[in-house]
Amino acid sequence: MSKIVYLNNKYIQFKDAKIPIEDRGFQFSDSVYEVVKIIDKKMLDFDFHMRRLKYSTSELNFNFKVNSKLLKKIFQKLIISNKLSNGIIYLQITRGVQSRDHAYKKNLKPNIIVYTAKKKFNLPNKDFRGFKAITYPDIRWGRPDIKTTSLLANIIAATEASKKGAYETILVKGKKITEAAHSNVWIVKDNKIITHPANKEILKGVTRTVLINIIHFIGLKLIEKEFSLKELYNSDEVFITSSGSLVTPITQIDSIKINNKKIGKITKALALSFYKSIT
Ligand SMILES: Cc1ncc(COP(=O)(O)O)c(C=O)c1O
């Protein structure tokens, strides 16, 4: 855990950071967040995160104007104070405090929380690992494209994975795959890379956006389209992307082995290209 956190214009000790019990983020998950990766002391893809934060706060009509310059300063200060080399910065913005009522009032004052945590990333240049995933029904609310802390369905799904010794939970809606509990999902079939389109049914991952640019640059074939559970099981390769997992191979899904449990060539090449682009 970080020693110093940022809370509403103040840098304070982690243990001293407190939020009122009628904060709407606490009571209703009426709040949004971003997770920004730090690798070798470098803050990555900051502008993409700010763009998505603007989207989340405006879709939910928060009384909050994203000040990227100020947030960048806060993040940089915390990286230095907490001596962070590899890890994440967690930013959460709640709608604010109001006496308990489902309907929100206009012009509440948001609570802004920023802290850091160390993290060991799964890097393709050293001890690169493939992991097991399970599948689970996608029971989330109808707007997973907004990065809210309303994550009950995600945490139920993630806990199922944890109970079964799996790294991630791939979410199934009807017959199709949307994404995973905390990452985007990609399959490779006959050298074509396939991922769910960035619409209202998934979170448009920052890592996903960056990787799509890399795929186009390398000249591989990408198709953004829906795919089924059957296609997932029959894939040549499967991988997930997120700020915490970067590009991480999935080599088993439920009881099905993918690529005989070996990391696929395309997955490895993409993970390496992604890693090169950030270091
Ligand atoms: C549901 C979900 N999808 C996708 C992602 C990947 O997003 P990003 O690449 O911006 O971390 C996340 C990240 O937390 C997530 O929670």
Side-chain angles (χ1 to χ4, degrees):
M1 272 306 155
S2 66
K3 287 182 207 121
I4 305 293
V5 310
Y6 173 93
L7 176 64
N8 299 329
N9 296 320
K10 287 199 180 97
Y11 294 91
I12 54 177
Q13 290 291 326
F14 186 87
K15 64 175 177 31
D16 298 326
K18 304 273 191 311
I19 290 285
I21 62 168
E22 285 193 317
D23 176 86
R24 293 185 61 89
F26 173 67
Q27 290 198 324
F28 303 117
S29 295
D30 192 355
S31 73
V32 300
Y33 74 110
E34 282 295 327
V35 173
V36 178
K37 52 194 166 292
I38 309 298
I39 297 184
D40 294 336
K41 295 186 185 149
K42 255 195 342 201
M43 181 157 64
L44 298 163
D45 304 324
F46 176 81
D47 294 338
F48 287 112
H49 286 284
M50 291 301 108
R51 210 171 299 160
R52 187 169 61 192
L53 182 63
K54 275 179 199 159
Y55 177 74
S56 300
T57 50
S58 80
E59 286 298 293
L60 293 176
N61 206 17
F62 274 29
N63 175 32
F64 181 78
K65 200 165 178 317
V66 175
N67 182 339
S68 304
K69 254 194 185 166
L70 176 64
L71 286 172
K72 196 179 236 175
K73 260 195 192 159
I74 296 166
F75 287 11
Q76 280 164 339
K77 194 162 171 167
L78 286 182
I79 292 172
I80 293 167
S81 323
N82 293 325
K83 299 188 180 65
L84 189 68
S85 295
N86 290 290
I88 53 134
I89 297 185
Y90 179 82
L91 161 71
Q92 183 173 344
I93 296 159
T94 79
R95 190 185 298 278
V97 178
Q98 175 190 333
S99 44
R100 197 177 188 288
D101 188 359
H102 282 196
Y104 60 83
K105 293 203 169 69
K106 268 206 257 168
N107 304 326
L108 297 178
K109 189 167 169 282
N111 278 314
I112 304 165
I113 302 142
V114 190
Y115 69 95
T116 65
K118 286 184 183 152
K119 185 169 172 63
K120 201 169 176 296
F121 291 98
N122 184 27
L123 300 177
N125 60 340
K126 204 177 159 216
D127 305 328
F128 194 38
R129 289 184 63 197
F131 289 92
K132 177 181 162 186
I134 59 161
T135 56
Y136 195 79
D138 189 345
I139 56 169
R140 298 174 300 165
W141 77 309
R143 292 299 306 276
D145 58 313
I146 305 171
K147 198 163 171 70
T148 76
T149 59
S150 188
L151 291 168
L152 258 187
N154 305 56
I155 62 174
I156 290 169
T159 306
E160 279 307 304
S162 173
K163 279 198 254 175
K164 291 181 175 149
Y167 179 78
E168 180 55 301
T169 310
I170 296 177
L171 302 173
V172 190
K173 194 172 184 180
K175 284 191 179 146
K176 71 166 185 169
I177 304 302
T178 47
E179 55 180 333
H182 34 57
S183 53
N184 292 116
V185 179
W186 312 63
I187 61 173
V188 180
K189 187 72 181 171
D190 300 329
N191 295 318
K192 291 185 197 83
I193 303 161
I194 303 166
T195 196
H196 193 286
N199 56 20
K200 290 206 165 46
E201 291 184 291
I202 66 160
L203 184 76
K204 187 177 177 188
V206 165
T207 321
R208 179 188 184 281
T209 303
V210 173
L211 192 68
I212 285 177
N213 291 337
I214 291 172
I215 291 170
H216 290 319
F217 182 76
I218 300 176
L220 288 170
K221 175 106 179 115
L222 171 75
I223 312 170
E224 290 183 68
K225 72 169 182 88
E226 292 179 357
F227 57 94
S228 66
L229 178 61
K230 200 168 157 208
E231 285 172 285
L232 176 76
Y233 283 156
N234 288 326
S235 302
D236 298 332
E237 302 178 29
V238 177
F239 62 91
I240 54 168
T241 56
S242 75
S243 298
S245 296
L246 310 179
V247 176
T248 283
I250 296 298
T251 50
Q252 183 179 337
I253 302 168
D254 300 325
S255 61
I256 309 289
K257 290 177 189 163
I258 306 292
N259 196 33
N260 219 10
K261 288 188 89 171
K262 290 202 191 82
I263 295 172
K265 272 190 208 147
I266 291 183
T267 305
K268 179 88 193 262
L270 289 177
L272 278 168
S273 301
F274 181 81
Y275 182 59
K276 270 189 206 146
S277 79
I278 58 176
T279 49

